[in-house]
Amino acid sequence: MEKNQKSELEIIYGIDDRPKLVKAIPLAFQHVLAVFAANITVPLLVSGLLGLSSSETTFLIQCALLMAGITTFIQLAKYKGIGSGLPIVMGTSNAFIATVLLIAEDYGIPGVLGASLIGALFEILIGKNLKRLKRVFPPLVSGIVVLTIGITLIPVGIEQAAGGGENLGDLTSLLIATIVLVTIIVFNQSKNKFLKSSSILIGIIFGYIIAAFFNLVDFAPVLEANWLSFPKPFQYKLAFKPVAILTMLFMYLATTIETMGDVSAITNGAEGREPSDEELSGGVVADGISSVLAAFYNSFPNTSFTQNVGVVNLTGVFSKYVVRIGAVILIILALLPKFSSMIAIMPEPVLGGAALAMFSMVAVSGLSLLKKVKFDSRNMLIISISLGLGVGLNIIPEATHLLPDSIHFALTSGVVPAALVAIIMNLVLPKND
């Protein structure tokens, strides 16, 4: 392909490029591996909280994978105002973990799905009216949002790399994560375009093998899983609880802002430009519609996956065709529990090493967006205060634990306080002449 002159990144495959299947399938698997663990985290946590059986847990995971594949197609489509038409992968959002668990504890899965449906409709409404709000989201705000997303996700990667949970700081885990990260760096610098674009996949596979050598991979779930199973919709009745709905609305505001940041990061990385009104609006509307479908299909809120934006920017593979194949793989895995369990048992340090590279790349995308902003005293003040509050409240969530739960969860998301402060300060503070 002809080199993209507008982007400062090395673009290997552009948005409309269609690499041969022998190359496209491995590149698509990078997206699947990046999204898989995060996509099944929410159903796993809900299952543990409610004490669900292994069969019920497997069912929720299948629904999450199926919805990730289907909703990725919706995001890619760009049809009648629905979808950004950009290589963005969708899935069950980890941003909703605390909110979902809080609601599930009081109202069960029906309460979560009912609140999620109302929140999704609210997001669709925002998306349809996003053009009127354009002045609220200039490059200054978009850059702050994307940078905040990246910075607040980096600790997640570090925790996974260090073993997570009770094993935090485990030296073997740190060694494996380091090997994964170094492998990604080495292959990302390769002169061979395929090896360069497959650097994350190679790093994860290599890390998986090393982890198995250290006996960190338990293959029992693979042996126990079925070969074929089709998840059915409407297995849970939807319950509409006012407190649950109010809590969920705050988080849907957060995910709206996050999706806008993801769209901005993709267009800036691929083509060195700001997203169009149609891309932003379509992306947010697709988020909302995806979560509506997810609520009907026993799945939790769906949104754009920031780590996959990191995959795109890190590898230089911006092809919608590749992401479309990834969506097909997710749907197939949803129907084949035995194969999907192979990815589900991936040790945390393996994913952590890759996640650190992906999340850091998202933060760098935010910096790239901010390069277009004039760094005068006014804008520097807005950036510093927004980042300080967004990142600070995310790192120290206890600072707001006495506030109502819905407000507390919104403030500790990182994205909401950073975005709100940036928007308000940008509208209120006089611009320098």
Side-chain angles (χ1 to χ4, degrees):
M1 67 168 278
E2 185 177 78
K3 188 174 180 181
N4 192 326
Q5 300 296 325
K6 296 181 180 180
S7 174
E8 295 182 3
L9 296 176
E10 182 180 350
I11 310 303
I12 296 175
Y13 294 110
I15 286 178
D16 295 317
D17 287 343
R18 297 168 65 92
K20 294 181 180 179
L21 278 177
V22 69
K23 293 184 177 180
I25 291 176
L27 295 177
F29 258 107
Q30 287 188 136
H31 284 291
V32 173
L33 292 173
V35 73
F36 198 94
N39 193 51
I40 67 175
T41 296
V42 179
L44 281 175
L45 291 175
V46 170
S47 296
L49 175 70
L50 301 179
L52 302 182
S53 66
S54 58
S55 60
E56 289 176 298
T57 303
T58 299
F59 172 76
L60 288 178
I61 290 174
Q62 284 184 270
C63 290
L65 291 173
L66 184 63
M67 284 297 97
I70 291 174
T71 57
T72 297
F73 275 113
I74 294 174
Q75 187 64 263
L76 286 166
K78 199 175 183 180
Y79 178 74
K80 292 187 176 181
I82 303 172
S84 63
L86 298 169
I88 292 175
V89 179
M90 302 286 288
T92 304
S93 174
N94 279 2
F96 286 85
I97 287 177
T99 304
V100 167
L101 292 179
L102 176 71
I103 296 173
E105 189 172 18
D106 291 336
Y107 306 112
I109 292 177
V112 175
L113 299 182
S116 178
L117 175 62
I118 301 300
L121 296 174
F122 171 65
E123 186 175 16
I124 294 172
L125 180 64
I126 294 176
K128 287 293 186 181
N129 293 278
L130 206 57
K131 190 172 182 179
R132 302 176 185 176
L133 303 172
K134 186 176 180 180
R135 65 184 291 264
V136 177
F137 298 101
L140 174 63
V141 174
S142 299
I144 290 171
V145 169
V146 176
L147 181 56
T148 304
I149 292 171
I151 291 175
T152 54
L153 283 175
I154 288 173
V156 176
I158 291 291
E159 184 174 358
Q160 290 177 325
E166 297 179 357
N167 294 322
L168 194 63
D170 176 63
L171 294 181
T172 301
S173 297
L174 289 170
L175 174 62
I176 293 171
T178 301
I179 291 173
V180 172
L181 187 58
V182 170
T183 302
I184 291 173
I185 294 171
V186 170
F187 280 92
N188 189 261
Q189 296 302 303
S190 173
K191 298 297 182 183
N192 184 298
K193 288 188 175 181
F194 179 69
L195 293 179
K196 178 183 177 68
S197 59
S198 303
S199 58
I200 294 175
L201 177 63
I202 295 170
I204 289 177
I205 292 175
F206 192 44
Y208 206 119
I209 294 172
I210 298 296
F213 178 78
F214 280 102
N215 295 319
L216 294 180
V217 184
D218 179 13
F219 290 101
V222 180
L223 299 175
E224 296 171 1
N226 295 326
W227 282 102
L228 181 65
S229 176
F230 192 89
K232 298 178 181 179
F234 300 109
Q235 290 296 102
Y236 298 93
K237 292 182 179 179
L238 276 61
F240 301 96
K241 306 295 182 179
V243 175
I245 292 171
L246 178 62
T247 303
M248 196 66 84
L249 289 179
F250 276 104
M251 291 315 303
Y252 268 99
L253 175 61
T255 199
T256 296
I257 297 170
E258 185 175 347
T259 295
M260 293 174 65
D262 289 342
V263 171
S264 298
I266 284 283
T267 57
N268 182 71
E271 299 174 346
R273 64 174 177 84
E274 293 299 309
S276 66
D277 294 338
E278 292 75 18
E279 288 168 333
L280 283 172
S281 175
V284 173
V285 171
D287 254 25
I289 290 177
S290 295
S291 291
V292 168
L293 292 178
F296 293 150
Y297 223 105
N298 323 294
S299 191
F300 305 111
N302 268 235
T303 186
S304 59
F305 261 62
T306 303
Q307 52 264 56
N308 291 84
V309 175
V311 171
V312 168
N313 286 335
L314 184 64
T315 61
V317 179
F318 290 83
S319 169
K320 290 189 292 184
Y321 178 67
V322 168
V323 172
R324 195 173 292 118
I325 292 175
V328 172
I329 293 172
L330 284 166
I331 293 173
I332 292 173
L333 289 175
L335 307 181
L336 304 173
K338 193 172 286 291
F339 285 99
S340 62
S341 65
M342 280 291 295
I343 303 176
I345 63 174
M346 184 189 305
E348 281 203 271
V350 176
L351 188 62
L356 186 58
M358 293 183 290
F359 294 155
S360 299
M361 196 66 189
V362 172
V364 173
S365 297
L367 291 175
S368 182
L369 284 169
L370 288 174
K371 281 201 317 182
K372 301 176 181 180
V373 175
K374 183 179 180 182
F375 271 69
D376 54 24
S377 58
R378 172 189 182 273
N379 290 342
M380 288 180 67
L381 179 64
I382 294 174
I383 294 170
S384 60
I385 300 299
S386 302
L387 278 178
L389 285 173
V391 176
L393 291 176
N394 179 261
I395 295 175
I396 311 293
E398 297 82 5
T400 59
H401 78 280
L402 295 179
L403 293 173
D405 287 335
S406 56
I407 298 176
H408 168 66
F409 291 136
L411 290 177
T412 56
S413 69
V415 178
V416 172
L420 290 179
V421 170
I423 290 170
I424 293 171
M425 291 183 70
N426 184 57
L427 293 175
V428 171
L429 296 183
K431 294 185 178 181
N432 296 333
D433 295 330

